[in-house]
Amino acid sequence: MIRILSISFLLIYQLYAAKLHFTTHQLKGNILGSTLLVIGGIHGNEPGGYFAAAILTLHYQIKKGQLIVVPNLNFDSIIRNRRGIYGDMNRKFANISKNDPDYHIIKDIKSIILRPDVDFILNLHDGHGFYRKEWQNAIFNPSAWGQACIIDQKCIETKKYGNLDAIAQKITKNLNQDLVKNHHSFNVKNTKTKFKDEQMRLSLTYFAITHGKPAMAIETSKNLEKTYEKVYYQLRAIEEFMKFMKIEFTRDFDLNLQTIQKILTTYYTAVLNDLTPLNLDHLRKRLNFVPMKKDDNHLQAKHPLAAIKKNGSFYDLMVGNIRISQFKPEIISHNKCLESVEIVVDKKLQNINIPASLSVKESFKVNAPKDIRVNVIGYTKPGLLNENSITIKMKELLPKYSLDKEQKSYRIEFYKDKDYCGMININIK
């Protein structure tokens, strides 16, 4: 009976749980100081917020104080470019059913918000229009949310950072000193949540302030044409908060539109199902016969917004709301049956771990165990079913089978009986 109940609970958990959970990135300086929690992606169709948060995890270093970043809170919705596929996540902080797919996400982010070391919370959004205190037109008006610091009330009772209005006024003043265009100016929007906005009483920031945690939202405008413009303003706002909180930081790039645009098209590397290495920056838009499992495929990636999602009989490889590639899967059982393999690279013997990437100038020869079948995708020789112990010249590889658009990367796949054992990428020097 106990065993049956356990299985039933597992099935219910799988049925109601979101497929992708958020990740938490802690950037801590060597000197103690304040802690800022930055949350991106509570709404999956607001890329300015979640791409800015992702850049924090990839390109910022903290010298004093601490930055905690959740770049992908509503991950299932982010990779589908939808506000909330299970409903509005930002309306679930007062009450949420255990049967709600977002239940575990809300429970876990609440525990982070309430950590004793968290001093301030920023929730990153993209909002419609440009907030203005006075009506100007349908885009610039008091009902708009974009280009604003959103506070729920002027002050809260706390030891530090309780004067939300004064802090927001200071941040917006600094932001407005350097705008791409004059009409991009920021303002402070006080929703007066407790008395005027019933829906906002269900939000993340209201949950935070009613539990003694200073919090506000940063909203860049959805009317800004380019994602990199939204990201630029989000990063500038976050930096202003860090400066205000005396969190000392460095970054490995110059903060301008051109650099942000370039960073947003850099996706780094990943490993599919622990066996298949991928360079996301150069993948073809479509790859055929990619070894994948029947269920529970997963991606380990440097970029916190990288994930795969099922799309009919295909799989989409996503970074945020951007599809990097699409895979036609070859469903096969996966087995880590080969930890490493000897390869003669340009006449020099090397022992290469699996998965891995390898640079080759002229030729290579795989010396795998006899029970391993080696398949070099792009190499063909009539009657040859196993490319083990065969010297292959790079110029013999057919370009149409390359992994990348530049036709410089190819795959060596390893099999044992009916199992897929992993892959090594070989790249032309």
Side-chain angles (χ1 to χ4, degrees):
M1 177 65 73
I2 294 175
R3 186 178 179 183
I4 293 172
L5 286 173
S6 298
I7 293 172
S8 298
F9 176 78
L10 178 61
L11 291 173
I12 291 171
Y13 177 86
Q14 291 174 336
L15 178 64
Y16 290 112
K19 289 182 172 60
L20 294 171
H21 200 278
F22 66 82
T23 56
T24 305
H25 305 257
Q26 189 165 313
L27 288 68
K28 193 170 186 178
N30 293 324
I31 306 171
L32 294 177
S34 297
T35 296
L36 175 65
L37 170 60
V38 178
I39 300 169
I42 196 168
H43 292 145
N45 61 346
E46 298 178 5
Y50 58 71
F51 273 114
I55 289 174
L56 290 176
T57 72
L58 293 165
H59 297 279
Y60 280 70
Q61 302 79 40
I62 301 301
K63 299 166 67 178
K64 178 183 177 182
Q66 181 175 217
L67 191 64
I68 301 173
V69 186
V70 174
N72 48 9
L73 187 66
N74 196 347
F75 212 165
D76 281 4
S77 297
I78 287 171
I79 61 173
R80 290 166 178 80
N81 199 32
R82 290 173 55 185
R83 183 178 178 88
I85 63 173
Y86 312 120
D88 191 338
M89 185 180 283
N90 204 29
R91 297 295 180 266
K92 298 182 179 184
F93 283 81
N95 295 289
I96 185 169
S97 166
K98 289 186 177 180
N99 293 336
D100 192 308
D102 290 329
Y103 174 78
H104 291 281
I105 291 173
I106 298 297
K107 177 175 174 288
D108 291 346
I109 195 63
K110 280 182 175 180
S111 69
I112 296 175
I113 289 169
L114 298 178
R115 276 175 47 167
D117 59 336
V118 170
D119 297 304
F120 205 106
I121 299 106
L122 290 181
N123 194 13
L124 309 184
H125 290 266
D126 302 336
H128 68 85
F130 295 80
Y131 172 71
R132 297 293 185 264
K133 293 181 180 179
E134 303 293 334
W135 175 274
Q136 297 178 22
N137 54 46
I139 296 176
F140 298 84
N141 61 70
S143 297
W145 291 80
Q147 301 301 96
C149 289
I150 312 295
I151 59 175
D152 291 283
Q153 59 195 51
K154 280 193 171 186
C155 300
I156 66 169
E157 299 242 349
T158 186
K159 290 182 179 179
K160 57 181 180 179
Y161 310 131
N163 195 332
L164 300 177
D165 182 67
I167 295 170
Q169 297 291 349
K170 180 180 177 65
I171 298 300
T172 57
K173 180 180 179 181
N174 292 342
L175 282 173
N176 290 338
Q177 290 176 3
D178 188 13
L179 301 170
V180 177
K181 295 181 180 179
N182 289 336
H183 71 272
H184 293 175
S185 59
F186 279 74
N187 286 279
V188 178
K189 180 170 183 171
N190 184 349
T191 58
K192 300 179 181 178
T193 299
K194 184 177 180 180
F195 304 105
K196 290 190 174 183
D197 200 325
E198 185 177 350
Q199 285 297 303
M200 285 292 290
R201 286 176 222 154
L202 312 176
S203 70
L204 183 152
T205 55
Y206 193 68
F207 168 82
I209 67 167
T210 53
H211 287 79
K213 294 286 187 176
M216 67 180 68
I218 303 297
E219 300 252 8
T220 49
S221 178
K222 290 183 178 180
N223 294 70
L224 296 177
E225 292 184 4
K226 305 295 184 182
T227 297
Y228 60 80
E229 292 182 320
K230 302 180 183 76
V231 172
Y232 168 74
Y233 284 121
Q234 289 281 8
L235 288 175
R236 284 198 54 219
I238 295 164
E239 289 192 4
E240 289 297 335
F241 273 95
M242 286 197 287
K243 292 173 186 175
F244 174 77
M245 297 173 68
K246 294 182 171 55
I247 297 173
E248 297 179 10
F249 64 92
T250 60
R251 47 177 150 76
D252 59 12
F253 65 94
D254 293 327
L255 185 52
N256 56 59
L257 293 179
Q258 293 75 23
T259 306
I260 296 299
Q261 187 176 9
K262 183 177 180 180
I263 288 174
L264 289 176
T265 57
T266 303
Y267 308 121
Y268 308 99
T269 57
V271 178
L272 177 63
N273 292 326
D274 304 315
L275 294 178
T276 303
L278 299 166
N279 185 340
L280 307 191
D281 286 329
H282 301 284
L283 282 181
R284 288 181 178 272
K285 292 183 178 179
R286 171 83 174 270
L287 291 175
N288 292 323
F289 306 111
V290 177
M292 299 187 76
K293 298 188 291 184
K294 184 178 180 181
D295 299 299
D296 300 322
N297 292 285
H298 64 276
L299 192 74
Q300 291 176 296
K302 179 177 179 179
H303 200 298
L305 300 177
I308 52 171
K309 69 178 177 72
K310 194 84 163 57
N311 184 0
S313 59
F314 296 90
Y315 283 86
D316 293 338
L317 175 56
M318 307 295 296
V319 175
N321 61 349
I322 302 168
R323 187 171 75 182
I324 304 304
S325 184
Q326 187 174 75
F327 299 159
K328 181 180 180 181
E330 180 181 5
I331 304 302
I332 186 170
S333 61
H334 284 44
N335 182 6
K336 184 70 171 176
C337 48
L338 194 62
E339 294 290 336
S340 64
V341 65
E342 287 187 351
I343 303 180
V344 179
V345 179
D346 297 324
K347 299 181 180 180
K348 293 182 180 180
L349 183 64
Q350 298 185 32
N351 191 65
I352 308 299
N353 292 329
I354 297 173
S357 292
L358 180 66
S359 294
V360 179
K361 186 176 181 180
E362 294 180 354
S363 67
F364 65 94
K365 182 175 74 169
V366 179
N367 293 329
K370 291 183 180 180
D371 59 347
I372 298 294
R373 180 171 66 88
V374 177
N375 187 16
V376 180
I377 308 299
Y379 178 77
T380 59
K381 190 174 182 178
L384 187 65
L385 299 178
N386 187 349
E387 278 97 38
N388 196 11
S389 300
I390 302 293
T391 297
I392 298 173
K393 296 179 180 179
M394 296 302 288
K395 64 182 181 181
E396 294 178 301
L397 300 175
L398 300 176
K400 68 178 182 179
Y401 292 103
S402 66
L403 282 167
D404 62 330
K405 294 169 275 191
E406 291 81 8
Q407 301 177 348
K408 291 186 177 182
S409 182
Y410 296 83
R411 42 182 164 151
I412 306 173
E413 297 176 351
F414 301 92
Y415 297 87
K416 183 176 181 180
D417 298 325
K418 295 182 179 181
D419 292 342
Y420 170 65
C421 302
M423 188 172 94
I424 291 175
N425 290 341
I426 52 170
N427 305 295
I428 300 174
K429 283 185 180 179

